[in-house]
Amino acid sequence: AVHAPGDYPLSEDDTVEDLVAAAGGLRDDAFLREIELRRVLLDEEGAARVRNIAVDLSPSAEAEPTVLRSRDHVLVRSVPDWRPRDAVEIVGEVRFPGSYVIGPGETLADVLERAGGLTRDGFADGVLFTRETLREQEARETRRFIEELRRNAASATLTLERGSNFDVRGLDELARSLESSESLGRLVVDLPRILLGDESADVVLQDGDRIEVPPLVNTVSVIGEVQRPGSFRFQQRFSVEDYLSLSAGMTRRADDDRAYVLHADGTVTPVEGRSWFRFETRDGALRPGDTIVVPIDSTYRNSLEYWEAIVQIAYQSGIALAALLAI
């Protein structure tokens, strides 16, 4: 923890303080109470022995300066968890938004208290917590997935596997789309529980974390394979089926078995099958800010084209049978 670590020439009567000064002085994170001086000594038999000496350079130390010897090695350690510039950003519906310097072990609840808490319009369920390390991890996983996708496609093509008619152009477009997509690095947090003082739900902050508290919303959105996607005013008594009805129902290509609800806090709840002709979520309740997602059925086939194929097969089979009977 000095500005210019290295090897320095030794003058007569040089002390540890002199060597530290020659190395550019101490950094702000230097731990002064226990600087390690490693010295090689010769015993009575002429064998080398190593001795470690603790030197106290703190202002309150009253010991005499330690004179150095040739080949001494001085180690100035850093103060543990010294991160004076670590900071997080809080934006949105808090009383005092901005950047806050954090200390070791500081949590989301601590910083929200320093920021004055949420405003009356703060939407705790919809908080967006992003972390740089998670963003980098998601980007790595995306790259790994793209490489695996391309490798599997190439392997299947080279080995002439049955059904391996890959659309190379489509695969390249998918890869480019994944590469251009920006990783969010979102960490799902239960802010209502944190605000109630539940320490098990709290999160220890890291440098670069960003917390965005959106304003209150009172809508439920419906997207995907529905006739009229859109957002509708939240009503306590409405179920998933009711909001699907407001969207004019599902399309023929909808996969109702894989529909799900994306909650405002980032969690996902599958939509259960029809219960007394109504769709329900696993916990049975929708909340403001939720989004109902109806995916497309990848196995969907146009019924007219399907029956045309069946008729064509039957027709060809009939002709073949008639030819056999004629023989």
Side-chain angles (χ1 to χ4, degrees):
V2 292
H3 291 289
D7 296 332
Y8 290 88
L10 178 66
S11 300
E12 187 177 357
D13 296 331
D14 274 352
T15 64
V16 172
E17 291 87 340
D18 297 328
L19 177 59
V20 168
L26 297 166
R27 295 200 315 246
D28 292 341
D29 61 334
F31 184 64
L32 303 181
R33 293 176 55 187
E34 193 173 334
I35 292 176
E36 181 183 285
L37 171 59
R38 181 179 182 273
R39 175 170 292 172
V40 179
L41 302 172
L42 297 178
D43 60 14
E44 296 178 354
E45 299 177 357
R49 294 289 183 265
V50 175
R51 180 186 177 191
N52 292 324
I53 304 171
V55 180
D56 188 354
L57 292 186
S58 60
S60 59
E62 299 179 355
E64 293 292 329
T66 303
V67 178
L68 296 172
R69 296 182 183 179
S70 179
R71 303 301 178 184
D72 279 354
H73 182 276
V74 177
L75 172 62
V76 182
R77 300 185 182 91
S78 297
V79 175
D81 296 321
W82 177 268
R83 296 191 297 269
R85 298 184 179 180
D86 284 4
V88 298
E89 184 180 11
I90 301 181
V91 298
E93 296 299 326
V94 292
R95 292 190 61 191
F96 306 107
S99 180
Y100 287 82
V101 176
I102 58 172
E106 198 158 2
T107 65
L108 178 57
D110 298 330
V111 175
L112 284 175
E113 183 178 359
R114 292 168 56 190
L118 274 60
T119 66
R120 294 177 58 184
D121 295 329
F123 185 34
D125 284 326
V127 63
L128 179 61
F129 187 114
T130 56
R131 175 166 287 176
E132 187 61 31
T133 54
L134 294 180
R135 192 195 317 273
E136 295 171 356
Q137 179 181 346
E138 290 175 5
R140 287 195 302 270
E141 292 299 326
T142 300
R143 291 193 297 269
R144 185 179 295 112
F145 173 73
I146 294 172
E147 293 172 0
E148 183 177 353
L149 186 65
R150 286 172 169 162
R151 183 172 57 253
N152 290 339
S155 299
T157 302
L158 291 173
T159 55
L160 301 178
E161 294 180 11
R162 178 178 297 179
S164 61
N165 297 322
F166 287 98
D167 182 358
V168 178
R169 181 177 300 178
L171 180 62
D172 288 340
E173 291 179 356
L174 174 61
R176 285 195 297 269
S177 176
L178 291 172
E179 288 172 342
S180 62
S181 62
E182 183 179 357
S183 300
L184 182 60
R186 181 172 187 176
L187 177 64
V188 176
V189 296
D190 193 341
L191 187 55
R193 285 176 56 195
I194 294 175
L195 295 176
L196 290 174
D198 188 346
E199 295 183 358
S200 64
D202 210 349
V203 179
V204 177
L205 298 176
Q206 297 180 6
D207 181 39
D209 287 349
R210 187 176 189 274
I211 302 99
E212 180 178 351
V213 182
L216 284 170
V217 296
N218 196 34
T219 59
V220 171
S221 300
V222 184
I223 62 174
E225 290 300 316
V226 292
Q227 302 291 346
R228 296 290 181 184
S231 297
F232 308 93
R233 187 171 63 85
F234 172 76
Q235 299 191 52
Q236 188 72 39
R237 66 181 186 278
F238 274 21
S239 65
V240 173
E241 181 77 7
D242 295 323
Y243 287 107
L244 291 174
S245 298
L246 291 176
S247 300
M250 300 183 183
T251 67
R252 289 182 298 175
R253 297 179 177 83
D255 188 350
D256 54 2
D257 291 333
R258 295 193 301 118
Y260 60 90
V261 175
L262 176 61
H263 298 291
D265 61 2
T267 57
V268 175
T269 302
V271 173
E272 303 289 353
R274 291 176 179 266
S275 175
W276 294 99
F277 303 101
R278 294 177 67 84
F279 288 101
E280 294 181 354
T281 59
R282 183 166 295 175
D283 58 8
L286 291 169
R287 301 189 292 271
D290 286 353
T291 299
I292 302 170
V293 183
V294 182
I296 189 171
D297 186 357
S298 59
T299 63
Y300 170 79
R301 292 187 61 182
N302 185 288
S303 58
L304 179 59
E305 294 178 357
Y306 176 76
W307 286 111
E308 284 179 351
I310 295 295
V311 170
Q312 186 70 15
I313 293 172
Y315 176 72
Q316 296 294 341
S317 300
I319 293 177
L321 180 61
L324 290 174
L325 292 175
I327 294 175

